Amino acid sequence: MSGAGPRRGGGADPSESSPEPPSPSSSRPPRSDSSPSPSEQTTPPPSGHAPYRQRGGASSRHAPSEAGLACDRHLALFEEELATRPRVPAMLRRIAQYSALSPDSDAPRRVLGTLLGVAVPALQTLLGVVLVLRLPWVVGAGGALQTGAIGVLLSACAVLTSVSLSAIATNGLDPGGCPLGLLSGALGPEAGGAVGLCAFLSAAFTAAAAALSAAEILLVYVAPGAAVLPGRGRSRRLNNGRGYGAVLLSLLGLGAAAGPAPTAAAALGPAGLLLALLGLQAGTLRAAIMGGPPHPLCLPAQPGGCLQPCPIALPQTVGSNSTQGAPRVAFPGPSTHLLARNLWPHPPEVRGGAAEGEEEDDDDDSSFGVLLGLSLPITSGVLWGCSRCGELRDIASSIPAGSLGAALATTLAYLSAALLLGASVEGQLLRDKFGASLRGTPVAGVASWPSPWVPLAGAVLSAAGAGLQALLGGSRLLRGLARTRALPLPHALGRGRLWPLAATVTVAELGVLLGSLDLLSPVLSVFWLTSYLGLNLACALQGLLPTPGWSPRCRLYHWAASLAGAGLCLALMLVACWYCGLLALGIGATAYKYLEYRGAQSEWGEGLRGLSLSAARFALLRLEDGRPPAASWRPQLLVLLKLDEELRATQPQVLALAAQLQAGKGLTVVGTVIPGELPRDQPRARAAEQALREALAGAGARGFVQVLVSPGRGPGLAALVQGCGLGALRPNAVLMGWPHGWRRRHDPAAARRFVELLRVAGSGARALLVAKGPLGTGAPGGTLDVWWVVGDGRLLTLLPLLLRQHPAWRGCCVRLFTVALLEDNSVRLRRLLEAVARRRGLPAQTHVVELHDSDVSAYTYERTLMMEQRSQMLRQMRQAQRHLTPSQAPSTAGEEEEEEEERGLPRRGPSPGNVRRMHAAERLNEVLGRHSGGARLVLLDLPPPPPRGPRPLDNYLEFLEVLTEGLGPVLLVRGGDGDSPGP
């Protein structure tokens, strides 16, 4: 492998070579794509220049190591920061194994897969209860067709919400047990607190519904004589439901406090659903094969009576239109004719469920809204799918598969059970809600096999599982809300398990006071739908805006699907119970406005201005608590402009670029420095502020302006960069223009001031953006070429996403390049580059450019020598301006990099460090010109400014000029030092 420079020829002592430089008339050699073989002998350096030491030589005590030699040759411009900002191959290997899991979570606990971790909790709903206790009445009163429509609507709601939840899981963020963390980050703490409150109330009311369901099974079917509380008719049933429901809810609370195994508790609901569904299917299959029960029961002549044994001689057309007045078999077996009769809605005929002689007066309404409200609790398991995400092995794959699978399984179970009931049971019997004609046996139980107790046992298991899940999940939500201090909750609710659980049981007792599942179902349903509405709306806004950090990998996700899910949730809420829906929305809106306005202070004054100032102060103080995560980092720009004597911007294209990057969002501050003194130049400063506002409006941007009056431009710009902003609302990126014509200026210190400005602007974890060339010109289209050389590249890959939001760059194709050396595996490097681009949501074509070894040419030596001579001339000019003697002047160019040979004499000719950097700049410029010569914009890593010392600062600008020579518009980018690598 060739060295960083030409090898020593003939073993001659470098101290004996001539000190004369190469001829200035030597022309630059043409570029060539070929590179010498590692085994070839390279061309020696021109006479008068000391060659580099051959690698591995005996006298090369300062030679670079084998691993770092190629890097020293080709990336010498970045050598000061390679220790802290590694090259792209090392960075890709570091972040390629990124997953959506939180790094702070307990790794050994992540043992659950899709089935136990997502699907089983998502099936922990009241579907088993609804299937046994209410679905027969819904089919009989509303018809199989209307029941199927309800099932399709509920399926669409669950599937669309599951898609939004899948988008959250595949976006690379850990929701922390529930999607409320993402909601707070996307819509703010106000919306997160409001949605969290609705989710907690829905979980508490689900536990109450489970207790009331168990109480109904006990009082109506298992032990009717236990209904000992006083009352008549409806009042008696509601009183007994309240009493026994409260007792059963307390038992569920004790069971949750005892700490049941989560996996065992999560299996109760699906086991009960499976038991009830299999019993019904087995009964229908038995009737289809054996032709009905051996001793069939017929419907009474008048609705409301009990079933009687059928006469021995029955018409042969049992399943079709029977003879007028002839008794009809209640369970004739599956028949298409019976399904056709049960296809349409029919008013209720049987009012029952209480003791003999007592009538019910609240079961006559069979409108679509009532039927929908009774069926909505089956969709309450979507959010439970992510309740155990902290224990999942792979969130990004388990939550989408488990949530969507559970939603489809719930829909299939609901529709299949409705179809079997409509095709197997007479409509008159289906409309017997409490099984009065069956003497206290549920309709679904008589239609099941082998025993009517099979579906009842399944309903009890489903109620127990849903109740435990709701209590545990609700207590976790309440504990999270108390810990975030989003709502004024007691601090005790944020500690331990018992206090949040006790508060959840207490709220659930309020739901038990309704006394009936029919009355409670719409209430808990609208609160669940409110939570789903917030979840879908957050995902829709994330995709519609669009937010650059929002890049879900779920193929089913689209912002229109989430928006449709939000609209469907709102419609179902208002149709099921419009006043309950308005109540839920009112609670959420009240919580939102409370969190928005509670920071208002009287010292701000009265009216809306005081509220706005208070909200701003509250937001700034809240932002002081912690630094945002790296994944949510966005550039908040400080644009440095220079005004001419007529107060016009000298580089207006920089302001246009800022407007295109921000697109009217984020923080933009335009600043400049007016040479002068206060208060003499205060009128000119005000005029400059007005000029900057007009320029900002002319560029189509919104932001703030800041003008600083200072005797010197350098100290003034440094003060402006450091003091701009308030609290956390301060720029984190500095955008400036390239100092065109710095070589031709009469001011020899112009380059030094620009480099000093780069140092100041890049300090404090601020990012740097240096615009060079005619930005924003050219026809629409073209390419945005991103060259990622060192560092994590987060800002480099984020800027194209921000630019493509503006119409001027929307049609541009993004290409992502990186540099590979000989020791890198280019094929694997490209695969890693594609994976990182996909995770960051960058739709880019990826390319890996290989840098082969090449020798330092004579032109490079000549160009470096001329650069050092120019630096020496500028140094002498600065000495003359300062009236310094040569002994007081700074060190000569490149003295800090001069190496000594074994004899202790300094090396003659150009500095080896400068030659190495010039060679690296030329090599990178060669590949940049070959691949991105016609690009509309090139985004390139900005090499670090030289450290403070005797090294001439104008050499740094010369290297950058060589690096970007022959290219079009270039944006030099350097991320803040505080950025941590991430996906």
Side-chain angles (χ1 to χ4, degrees):
M1 183 179 299
S2 59
R7 295 179 180 174
R8 180 182 304 176
D13 196 324
S15 62
E16 299 174 0
S17 58
S18 174
E20 296 181 359
S23 173
S25 61
S26 60
S27 60
R28 181 171 185 170
R31 291 178 176 174
S32 175
D33 296 341
S34 60
S35 58
S37 170
S39 61
E40 294 179 1
Q41 185 74 15
T42 57
T43 306
S47 175
H49 296 286
Y52 288 113
R53 295 180 179 86
Q54 189 175 13
R55 193 175 62 192
S59 62
S60 58
R61 65 168 184 250
H62 300 290
S65 62
E66 295 281 344
L69 187 61
C71 179
D72 289 344
R73 278 194 300 270
H74 301 302
L75 301 180
L77 290 176
F78 304 90
E79 60 186 1
E80 283 88 356
E81 62 179 357
L82 284 180
T84 57
R85 296 166 63 92
R87 291 195 305 116
V88 173
M91 182 62 64
L92 289 177
R93 286 191 294 268
R94 178 178 175 183
I95 67 179
Q97 302 300 324
Y98 169 80
S99 67
L101 305 182
S102 171
D104 299 329
S105 57
D106 192 3
R109 294 179 56 201
R110 298 185 179 271
V111 295
L112 295 181
T114 303
L115 182 61
L116 293 179
V118 181
V120 170
L123 290 173
Q124 193 86 299
T125 65
L126 295 172
L127 177 57
V129 174
V130 172
L131 189 149
V132 175
L133 300 184
R134 293 296 181 266
L135 186 57
W137 184 83
V138 172
V139 175
L145 186 61
Q146 192 169 226
T147 305
I150 291 174
V152 171
L153 289 176
L154 298 183
S155 173
C157 176
V159 169
L160 291 176
T161 308
S162 298
V163 169
S164 298
L165 187 61
S166 302
I168 293 174
T170 58
N171 190 44
L173 297 176
D174 186 359
C178 63
L180 299 181
L182 179 66
L183 287 173
S184 298
L187 296 178
E190 293 84 4
V195 175
L197 179 61
C198 292
F200 163 72
L201 293 176
S202 57
F205 290 152
T206 299
L212 288 177
S213 302
E216 181 177 323
I217 294 174
L218 174 65
L219 297 175
V220 177
Y221 302 113
V222 179
V228 296
L229 296 181
R232 291 182 59 85
R234 182 192 181 199
S235 299
R236 183 170 184 266
R237 184 164 61 86
L238 293 180
N239 290 336
N240 284 277
R242 294 183 184 112
Y244 283 92
V247 174
L248 293 175
L249 179 61
S250 301
L251 294 178
L252 286 175
L254 292 176
T263 305
L268 293 178
L273 171 63
L274 188 62
L275 189 62
L277 190 61
L278 289 180
L280 181 61
Q281 291 175 347
T284 304
L285 183 62
R286 179 180 180 277
I289 295 176
M290 303 183 63
H295 303 288
L297 297 176
C298 288
L299 296 175
Q302 296 295 331
C306 295
L307 299 184
Q308 301 294 332
C310 294
I312 298 176
L314 287 174
Q316 297 299 320
T317 58
V318 171
S320 61
N321 293 327
S322 303
T323 306
Q324 184 68 24
R328 289 184 300 175
V329 178
F331 304 97
S335 170
T336 57
H337 298 284
L338 183 57
L339 179 61
R341 288 204 302 271
N342 293 331
L343 197 62
W344 306 106
H346 195 283
E349 298 165 340
V350 178
R351 304 175 185 176
E356 284 189 1
E358 296 182 354
E359 293 184 355
E360 297 294 335
D361 56 358
D362 62 331
D363 301 323
D364 296 335
D365 189 4
S366 60
S367 62
F368 182 79
V370 172
L371 302 180
L372 179 64
L374 291 176
S375 303
L376 273 172
I378 71 173
T379 63
S380 61
V382 177
L383 289 183
W384 298 141
C386 67
S387 61
R388 307 185 65 187
C389 64
E391 303 175 34
L392 294 175
R393 285 191 294 267
D394 188 0
I395 293 180
S397 62
S398 295
I399 287 183
S403 299
L404 292 172
L408 295 177
T410 300
T411 303
L412 181 61
Y414 182 85
L415 293 179
S416 62
L419 180 63
L420 293 178
L421 290 171
S424 304
V425 184
E426 282 288 347
Q428 179 179 331
L429 184 60
L430 288 174
R431 290 183 285 275
D432 185 1
K433 180 184 289 188
F434 298 101
S437 58
L438 295 173
R439 296 181 176 87
T441 302
V443 176
V446 178
S448 301
W449 185 85
S451 169
W453 293 99
V454 172
L456 282 177
V460 171
L461 290 177
S462 180
L468 290 174
Q469 176 88 4
L471 290 177
L472 293 173
S475 63
R476 284 195 296 266
L477 287 173
L478 184 60
R479 184 167 61 247
L481 289 173
R483 287 178 177 176
T484 57
R485 302 291 187 265
L487 293 172
L489 299 174
H491 297 324
L493 297 179
R495 299 189 295 267
R497 295 175 60 250
L498 294 182
W499 284 109
L501 182 60
T504 306
V505 174
T506 303
V507 176
E509 294 287 356
L510 299 178
V512 172
L513 293 180
L514 293 177
S516 171
L517 182 62
D518 299 337
L519 298 177
L520 184 59
S521 293
V523 178
L524 71 92
S525 299
V526 296
F527 280 107
W528 276 123
L529 290 175
T530 304
S531 302
Y532 297 166
L533 174 64
L535 176 62
N536 285 301
L537 186 60
C539 294
L541 291 178
Q542 291 275 31
L544 184 61
L545 289 178
T547 304
W550 177 253
S551 56
R553 289 172 286 158
C554 179
R555 297 181 179 179
L556 300 177
Y557 168 75
H558 190 268
W559 64 264
S562 296
L563 189 60
L568 181 59
C569 290
L570 181 62
L572 292 177
M573 182 190 314
L574 297 179
V575 170
C577 183
W578 64 269
Y579 50 88
C580 294
L582 294 180
L583 176 63
L585 292 177
I587 291 176
T590 302
Y592 182 90
K593 298 306 292 183
Y594 170 78
L595 293 173
E596 183 179 4
Y597 290 117
R598 71 174 182 175
Q601 301 293 335
S602 60
E603 62 266 19
W604 294 115
E606 298 179 357
L608 296 178
R609 177 176 174 81
L611 293 175
S612 300
L613 291 173
S614 178
R617 173 184 174 275
F618 176 74
L620 287 174
L621 291 177
R622 188 177 62 237
L623 291 175
E624 291 290 332
D625 293 340
R627 183 179 177 184
S632 62
W633 190 93
R634 298 292 177 272
Q636 314 299 332
L637 294 178
L638 169 61
V639 184
L640 298 180
L641 290 182
K642 184 178 181 181
L643 302 180
D644 56 14
E645 294 298 329
E646 298 180 357
L647 299 181
R648 292 178 301 185
T650 58
Q651 294 180 330
Q653 71 274 10
V654 176
L655 196 56
L657 177 63
Q660 295 166 1
L661 281 173
Q662 297 296 71
K665 299 182 291 291
L667 175 65
T668 302
V669 180
V670 181
T672 188
V673 174
I674 300 296
E677 294 181 356
L678 291 177
R680 182 191 63 189
D681 295 311
Q682 185 64 37
R684 182 174 175 80
R686 292 176 180 173
E689 289 182 358
Q690 184 61 29
L692 288 180
R693 289 192 181 94
E694 294 176 356
L696 196 63
R702 300 188 62 184
F704 307 93
V705 298
Q706 188 168 355
V707 176
L708 192 67
V709 179
S710 174
R713 291 189 55 86
L717 288 173
L720 179 61
V721 170
Q722 297 178 67
C724 183
L726 176 63
L729 192 65
R730 60 176 64 248
N732 57 13
V734 180
L735 173 61
M736 66 185 74
W738 179 260
H740 295 286
W742 63 274
R743 293 170 173 167
R744 300 186 299 271
R745 288 179 180 172
H746 298 291
D747 184 6
R752 176 178 295 273
R753 284 198 301 268
F754 181 77
V755 177
E756 290 289 347
L757 179 59
L758 289 180
R759 287 174 178 168
V760 174
S763 62
R766 281 183 289 266
L768 277 176
L769 304 176
V770 180
K772 188 175 186 291
L775 297 172
T777 59
T783 60
L784 280 170
D785 288 0
V786 181
W787 286 82
W788 182 10
V789 182
V790 295
D792 65 345
R794 179 179 296 279
L795 183 57
L796 272 174
T797 54
L798 176 63
L799 291 177
L801 293 174
L802 298 174
L803 286 174
R804 279 164 56 91
Q805 297 181 23
H806 196 273
W809 304 91
R810 193 162 292 162
C812 293
C813 175
V814 182
R815 298 189 299 177
L816 180 60
F817 295 87
T818 191
V819 175
L821 303 181
L822 286 179
E823 64 266 21
D824 298 324
N825 188 337
S826 300
V827 177
R828 183 173 181 269
L829 184 60
R830 181 173 181 177
R831 288 200 301 266
L832 295 176
L833 192 64
E834 291 175 351
V836 172
R838 187 167 55 251
R839 286 201 180 106
R840 295 181 178 178
L842 183 64
Q845 304 174 7
T846 57
H847 303 272
V848 175
V849 179
E850 297 183 354
L851 284 180
H852 300 287
D853 289 342
S854 63
D855 297 316
V856 179
S857 64
Y859 175 79
T860 302
Y861 279 92
E862 177 186 354
R863 193 168 189 176
T864 307
L865 184 60
M866 294 175 64
M867 178 190 70
E868 292 186 351
Q869 291 173 353
R870 181 182 180 280
S871 300
Q872 179 71 15
M873 180 186 65
L874 292 176
R875 185 182 66 84
Q876 293 174 357
M877 293 176 61
R878 288 194 294 269
Q879 292 177 12
Q881 290 181 353
R882 298 174 184 175
H883 305 287
L884 300 178
T885 62
S887 59
Q888 297 171 324
S891 302
T892 59
E895 281 184 354
E896 76 283 3
E897 293 182 329
E898 292 294 337
E899 299 180 0
E900 297 181 357
E901 293 293 332
E902 286 76 1
R903 296 188 302 176
L905 297 178
R907 180 184 298 277
R908 299 181 180 180
S911 166
N914 289 336
V915 173
R916 187 170 65 249
R917 295 183 184 92
M918 183 68 72
H919 177 63
E922 289 181 347
R923 290 287 290 141
L924 288 176
N925 177 257
E926 179 181 349
V927 297
L928 283 169
R930 186 165 61 246
H931 293 87
S932 302
R936 189 177 176 189
L937 178 63
V938 177
L939 291 92
L940 175 64
D941 273 313
L942 175 67
R948 296 188 181 274
R951 183 190 303 177
L953 299 183
D954 44 0
N955 289 354
Y956 175 74
L957 294 187
E958 186 69 35
F959 293 141
L960 295 185
E961 290 281 6
V962 174
L963 180 64
T964 58
E965 184 180 9
L967 300 177
V970 178
L971 185 62
L972 298 171
V973 180
R974 178 174 174 81
D977 295 334
D979 295 345
S980 59

